[in-house]
Amino acid sequence: MTVGDEVDGASTGRVRVVIADDQPLVRMGLRALVRSDAGLELVGEAETGREAVALARSVTPDVVLMDIRMPELDGLAALREISADPALGGVHVVMLTTFELDEYVFAALQAGASGFMIKDSEPTELLRAIHAAASGEALMSPSVTRTVIETFAGRPAGAASEHPRLGELTEREREVLGLVGQGLNNAEIAERLWITKATARTHVSHIMLKLGARDRAQLVVIAYSSGLVR
């Protein structure tokens, strides 16, 4: 486990990033990618899931790039520990994997992942995922998004499992949640509903608060599992 010695990102406005992957070559590539973006700051690296959790607690980064398969504690287990720690409520985890594995996609999103990216994604897409996660948005590889849509679309009628607090949403908020589930961002939601972008952002914030969601990735899962998106 290594901890960065650069200046505090909080004072520079940069997004503070931790890399967690057991392969040195992968870490080297991710390190170079993060350092290529002036808006990001690398604050540490971990080789195991256990180190990743300890590092998150030590430096409280904005985003953790987490490999899904690591020794000692795999990425999913590490993600669950981070998501369950109240002190790490501001830490967003983007899961990385070499292969698109359906069961991992859903497990990661349900555990609180702010994104799920295939490692051979374009560098610009991975950078976008980091910035999106840091701002409470969510970005997944296109193939992963298709997997989510196809899996939920293939469920038989009546298989939806409504979120227990869905009834707290207003009709407008349910409508917005459905659009979030379709992958629309705030600007697209505003255009669709003829409202301002600020109003769309406010609706999304209220929905996250009412449903206890950490970010938009969890809202996508809730929208599909509750049957708001077909």
Side-chain angles (χ1 to χ4, degrees), residues 166-188:
L166 198 66
E168 298 179 22
L169 302 186
T170 64
E171 281 301 313
R172 174 62 94 184
E173 288 170 345
R174 289 172 69 97
E175 189 176 11
V176 170
L177 177 58
L179 295 177
V180 171
Q182 294 177 37
L184 275 64
N185 59 33
N186 290 340
E188 292 167 334

Side-chain angles (χ1 to χ4, degrees), residues 6 35 80 82 97 102 119 123 126 133 137 155 167 171:
E6 299 163 14
R35 288 177 172 169
R80 291 188 181 101
I82 291 173
T97 184
D102 296 2
K119 286 184 180 179
L126 186 50
E137 300 284 334
R155 287 186 171 186
E171 281 301 313

Side-chain angles (χ1 to χ4, degrees), residues 14 34-41:
R14 290 186 290 175
V34 169
R35 288 177 172 169
S36 72
D37 189 321
L40 305 179
E41 176 195 0

Side-chain angles (χ1 to χ4, degrees), residues 47-80:
E47 297 182 33
T48 70
R50 183 61 62 198
E51 287 184 358
V53 174
L55 192 55
R57 288 172 174 153
S58 173
V59 302
T60 54
D62 299 303
V63 177
V64 177
L65 293 178
M66 181 89 72
D67 185 18
I68 209 158
R69 289 181 171 176
M70 285 186 292
E72 293 186 17
L73 190 71
D74 67 35
L76 284 176
L79 165 64
R80 291 188 181 101

Side-chain angles (χ1 to χ4, degrees), residues 4 23 32 40-41 54 60 81 92-93 104 108 117 119 123 134 136 152 167 180-181 194 211 218 220 228:
Q23 299 180 31
L40 305 179
E41 176 195 0
T60 54
E81 286 201 23
H92 302 281
V93 179
Y104 289 155
M117 301 294 293
K119 286 184 180 179
F152 278 107
V180 171
W194 295 86
L211 300 183
Q218 287 193 311
V220 171
L228 294 181

Side-chain angles (χ1 to χ4, degrees), residues 59-132:
V59 302
T60 54
D62 299 303
V63 177
V64 177
L65 293 178
M66 181 89 72
D67 185 18
I68 209 158
R69 289 181 171 176
M70 285 186 292
E72 293 186 17
L73 190 71
D74 67 35
L76 284 176
L79 165 64
R80 291 188 181 101
E81 286 201 23
I82 291 173
S83 297
D85 190 335
L88 301 180
V91 177
H92 302 281
V93 179
V94 175
M95 303 302 295
L96 302 175
T97 184
T98 304
F99 304 104
E100 178 188 327
L101 301 172
D102 296 2
E103 66 272 21
Y104 289 155
V105 172
F106 292 106
L109 293 177
Q110 291 172 336
S114 296
F116 196 104
M117 301 294 293
I118 308 299
K119 286 184 180 179
D120 63 1
S121 300
E122 291 294 324
T124 53
E125 285 298 298
L126 186 50
L127 290 174
R128 282 183 58 209
I130 296 172
H131 285 286

Side-chain angles (χ1 to χ4, degrees), residues 21-28 47 67 98 119:
D21 197 294
D22 63 324
Q23 299 180 31
L25 285 177
V26 173
R27 289 201 309 277
M28 182 173 66
E47 297 182 33
D67 185 18
T98 304
K119 286 184 180 179

